[in-house]
Amino acid sequence: MAKKIIMIILAFFVFIDILFIYLILTTTPITLKRTRFTYEYGETINTDPSYYFNANDHVLMNVQMNLTNILTEVGIYQASATYYDTVFDFEVEVIDTVKPKFILKQVEYEVILNEKIYAEDLLVEIEDLSETKIHFINEETNEKFDYKVYNEVGSYIERIIVEDVYGNQ
């Protein structure tokens, strides 16, 4: 009877050892935090593996980042990282959600009848990381115009839109 109990206890410990060895060999000590990382246009792309992975410092020291396909333009780019023989693929998305900022030359203008007034001539400075276009806009129809011509004497309130290539206004 004592031999059976010893054999059962020994078999139990052998089973536990095999289970631990299996878990150690099949469990990766590193995981991606997510599959897509988003950056604002103009922001520096982080190259630190700890930003992308959950792992301890010793594991992170052995991660080789591959961010060579990432451009600083708006878009979705493929990236990867290697930890020994395991390759982790993920995406980096560069977006532009920042509205252009601008300064008007002045608030009130006196114009000559039938003279073209260009919207871009009314601004001193535009601050945006991408190319911009400047328009007058008709609030009723939402039509955009590069210039306006005033055929009648009077006071007018105009709306100017500064829009970057990514649609931020």
Side-chain angles (χ1 to χ4, degrees), residues 38-154:
T38 304
Y39 291 92
E40 186 65 40
Y41 180 64
E43 187 179 355
T44 303
I45 305 297
N46 196 330
T47 59
D48 183 9
S50 66
Y51 181 76
Y52 301 96
F53 292 97
N54 292 316
N56 66 38
D57 291 338
H58 179 69
V59 170
L60 291 172
M61 286 178 10
N62 295 304
V63 173
Q64 299 297 316
M65 300 295 293
N66 180 4
L67 305 173
T68 56
N69 294 331
I70 299 172
L71 304 176
T72 56
E73 299 299 318
V74 171
I76 298 174
Y77 304 98
Q78 299 300 314
S80 65
T82 305
Y83 175 68
Y84 292 108
D85 292 334
T86 306
V87 177
F88 297 90
D89 293 317
F90 57 95
E91 295 177 336
V92 172
E93 181 178 19
V94 179
I95 59 172
D96 183 2
T97 60
V98 177
K99 297 177 181 183
K101 296 177 184 172
F102 63 93
I103 299 173
L104 290 171
K105 285 183 181 175
Q106 57 194 52
V107 178
E108 289 185 23
Y109 290 89
E110 288 188 26
V111 297
I112 300 170
L113 285 178
N114 299 320
E115 180 183 1
K116 286 184 181 179
I117 305 297
Y118 287 88
E120 64 186 25
D121 292 339
L122 304 178
L123 305 179
V124 175
E125 177 182 321
I126 300 172
E127 184 180 309
D128 196 75
L129 295 175
S130 62
E131 189 176 321
T132 57
K133 293 182 181 177
I134 301 100
H135 306 285
F136 288 108
I137 189 162
N138 182 325
E139 291 188 40
E140 294 172 8
T141 64
N142 282 334
E143 287 183 84
K144 297 175 184 175
F145 304 97
D146 291 337
Y147 64 88
K148 285 261 184 154
V149 176
Y150 299 95
N151 299 324
E152 294 181 21
V153 174

